[in-house]
Structure formats: structure tokens, C-alpha cells
Amino acid sequence: MEFTEAYKQTGPCCFSPNARYIAVAVDYRLMIRDTLSFKISYIEWALDSEYILCGLYKRPMIQAWSLTQPEWTCKIDEGPAGIAYARWSPDSRHILTTSEFQLRLTVWSLVNTACVHVQWPKHGSKGVSFTKDGKFAAICTRRDCKDYINLLSCHSWEIMGVFAVDTLDMTDIQWSPDDSAIVIGDSPLEYKVLIYSPDGRCLFKYQAYESGLGVKSVSWSPCGQFLAVGSYDQMLRVLNHLTWKTFAEFMHLSTVRAPCCAAVFKEVDEPLQLDMSELCLDDDFMGGSDAPGGHFKVRYEVMEVPITFPFQKPPADKPNPKQGIGKSYRIDVDLLN
């Protein structure tokens, strides 16, 4: 007799009528697993919340269901090409899949079952960005050792334009919030941030320093007026979208010293103490309250400066060091003024 690994379950479970799937309640989520492999690689809701896709990458197969039409189902099988990643389009009526080894990116229509192929996508799970209005998509591709941007219309999925970019190894792309520009990050081995217009013109090339690990993350502010660039030198640089000049620089310090206007909060977990002496509870509730992990409440303590944050020096003999500004958070205009 063979057994799978143990899966978490906090509520009821039910097999589908054809015994191909099993639905399991986990807290406030519903997990649907394939009974042949019991492994689901990816789940994503469509933006309109009417459809949900489930990725079984090892099979390889993508399935989608409709919440408004329970009898409707969709199955996508790439065959020998395999599936490395899947995502919804902004209109929630198309699914984009990337094959193994980045051989092609395929756009599958749920309306007329048509499909469109884009050859040689650069990345599996990234390298695709949609405009805010959902009308156009920019896709990173690579051929003949050169990086390109393919612009597609999300209405007909026709290629509207293709242009080469001046990168050594393009990492990702992002449309600006006003859809007027595309920011491109280069390999961490070379500090380079490129700003392109949709027609392929290079608007600006930003390079803070040379001879060192470069850009780790790039993020637009919600208003689109600023571009934050996180680097491996522990610096966060903010560029102005009008002049593309450095507007502000912030250092990620390991120690905060006085005088300092910043407040440092520490999250503290405390066991939740409940007085149940005057309550009458049934056995089912009492049994559920003893779940592993117990109940906790969270409070925050204001720390006194100076304070040193814990850090770990990355090993020099391993790639992708865990250092630098790895996530550029939201930038509010009021904070920069």
C-alpha cells in the first residue's frame, strides 16, 4: 500500500463524481487536488473573479473552471513542450502559458479556443507586463544572443512591434503606471536601468556605478512620478520621471542611532488568554481549539535606539547573494517632499 505525504485539512473533503479530483477545506481556502499526483503547482484567480485556473506543471496541464457556469471547464495540454508557468490576461478571457526551456509563449483564448504563439520568451514566470488599461502586453524574448521586446495587442494578440534593447541579460520589464514608458533591468553583473518608449526609443540609461553587483529590484511609484531602484550596495535610489535624474537616495543601515525621527517597532507574539470559566462549549469546539500552534495575539513594541538589526553575511562561494535592496516598496509623494 502506498501513501502520499500528509496534507493539511481543517474542514470537510469531497471527491469529484469522476474521482479525478478531491476538494479539501483548509481554513478559509478550498484546495482542489488531482488524485493521480495530488500535486497542484499553481492556482490563480482571473481579475474578474469569475474564473480560476489550476496548474499541474509536472503532467503538464492547465485546467480552468467558471464560478458562474459550474458545468464549464477548460483543459490546456502543451504535450511534449511542457508548461513552466501560466497566468491570466487582464481581460480574464485568455490564459498565457510558457513552455519548458522557454521555447514559446502561447496565448489561449477561452472565447473561440484560438491560440497565438510567441517564440523564445526570455523567462518563464516573469518578463511579461501589461499596460494599466490592459490593452497591450510587453514580452521579453531572446534570440541570436540578443534581447528583444515584443509588443502585442491584447485585443487581437497580434504583434504590434518588436525592438532590440541594449542589455547584457535582461531580467524583467515593467510598464509605467501611465503606460508611457517601459523600464528594463539588466543583469546584476552590470548596473544598468533602461527606460524605453513603446515605439522602441531609449529615453534614458541610468548607471549609478561600475565594477560591482548592480540592480536587484525596480519599482514604479503608484503615481508614476518616481522610479525606485534597489541595488546590491544597500542603496535605494529614486529617479524623477521628467528628467530621469536622481531625486533621492536612501541607505539601508544595519544600525539605527539617535537622534533619529524614525520609530522602530518589534512584533511580539503572545499566547491568547481566554477566560472560559463561565462559558458552556461543546466538545467539537473544545477539540478544535487545541489545534497545533494555538491562538496568539500580536502586539508591537517601540524599540529604543540605538538598535542593530540582525543580518547574515552572504557566502562568497554561492550565486544570488541575499543582500541589497530586494524589494522596492510604495513611495508616497508626501514622504519625498
Side-chain angles (χ1 to χ4, degrees):
M1 183 177 294
E2 297 182 357
F3 296 92
T4 67
E5 60 181 294
Y7 296 104
K8 184 178 179 181
Q9 174 193 358
T10 59
C13 65
C14 181
F15 281 92
S16 63
N18 60 1
R20 283 288 307 278
Y21 310 98
I22 181 173
V24 181
V26 181
D27 295 330
Y28 296 99
R29 296 174 298 169
L30 178 64
M31 302 296 295
I32 303 174
R33 300 185 182 275
D34 188 293
T35 56
L36 298 180
S37 65
F38 276 91
K39 293 183 179 180
I40 293 179
S41 305
Y42 185 72
I43 295 177
E44 181 183 356
W45 283 94
L47 293 180
D48 63 359
S49 299
E50 292 187 12
Y51 295 89
I52 186 171
L53 69 79
C54 174
L56 301 169
Y57 295 158
K58 291 186 177 181
R59 296 201 57 174
M61 184 176 63
I62 299 294
Q63 289 189 284
W65 291 273
S66 171
L67 271 69
T68 58
Q69 306 176 49
E71 69 282 358
W72 182 93
T73 60
C74 172
K75 176 181 177 182
I76 297 175
D77 190 346
E78 278 278 14
I83 297 177
Y85 193 74
R87 59 169 63 84
W88 286 101
S89 65
D91 64 358
S92 302
R93 296 299 181 268
H94 296 81
I95 297 177
L96 285 70
T97 62
T98 305
S99 66
E100 294 283 356
F101 309 107
Q102 287 76 58
L103 298 178
R104 68 186 183 190
L105 183 146
T106 306
V107 182
W108 306 85
S109 173
L110 304 184
V111 180
N112 54 16
T113 68
C115 63
V116 177
H117 299 293
V118 178
Q119 297 296 327
W120 317 119
K122 181 69 182 291
H123 303 286
S125 60
K126 55 182 182 179
V128 177
S129 180
F130 298 96
T131 55
K132 189 175 182 179
D133 58 13
K135 294 182 178 180
F136 298 96
I139 301 176
C140 301
T141 60
R142 186 175 180 88
R143 65 177 187 273
D144 300 329
C145 300
K146 185 68 177 178
D147 292 331
Y148 294 85
I149 296 297
N150 291 37
L151 294 181
L152 280 72
S153 167
C154 294
H155 175 68
S156 61
W157 296 103
E158 296 180 354
I159 296 180
M160 308 302 294
V162 180
F163 58 88
V165 293
D166 183 24
T167 54
L168 177 66
D169 186 11
M170 179 169 44
T171 56
D172 204 357
I173 57 175
Q174 292 184 42
W175 282 95
S176 62
D178 60 359
D179 301 334
S180 64
I182 303 173
V183 61
I184 299 173
D186 204 350
S187 167
L189 300 178
E190 181 176 356
Y191 198 114
K192 187 188 295 183
V193 176
L194 300 170
I195 311 296
Y196 279 87
S197 64
D199 59 3
R201 292 179 294 113
C202 184
L203 302 177
F204 188 72
K205 174 183 175 181
Y206 178 69
Q207 189 171 14
Y209 56 82
E210 298 180 354
S211 303
L213 292 177
V215 178
K216 188 171 185 179
S217 60
V218 178
S219 179
W220 291 97
S221 64
C223 63
Q225 297 181 9
F226 302 99
L227 179 66
V229 181
S231 311
Y232 281 92
D233 65 344
Q234 311 293 66
M235 290 289 293
L236 176 67
R237 298 171 174 86
V238 182
L239 308 181
N240 185 296
H241 85 296
L242 295 178
T243 62
W244 300 115
K245 301 299 182 181
T246 303
F247 181 84
E249 293 185 353
F250 302 97
M251 171 65 75
H252 195 293
L253 300 175
S254 60
T255 302
V256 178
R257 297 181 175 89
C260 179
C261 60
V264 181
F265 296 89
K266 180 181 179 180
E267 182 178 301
V268 180
D269 293 335
E270 293 184 346
L272 183 60
Q273 302 295 334
L274 299 178
D275 184 8
M276 298 185 178
S277 58
E278 299 182 359
L279 296 179
C280 181
L281 304 176
D282 57 26
D283 295 337
D284 293 338
F285 183 86
M286 293 300 295
S289 64
D290 295 334
H295 301 280
F296 293 89
K297 66 177 181 179
V298 178
R299 63 183 179 88
Y300 295 89
E301 295 180 349
V302 180
M303 306 298 293
E304 295 184 359
V305 294
I307 180 174
T308 301
F309 300 108
F311 69 94
Q312 182 177 3
K313 186 177 181 180
D317 58 343
K318 293 184 179 181
N320 303 319
K322 294 183 179 180
Q323 67 181 52
I325 308 299
K327 178 67 175 179
S328 297
Y329 293 96
R330 170 174 175 168
I331 300 175
D332 292 323
V333 178
D334 293 339
L335 297 178
L336 297 175
N337 291 336

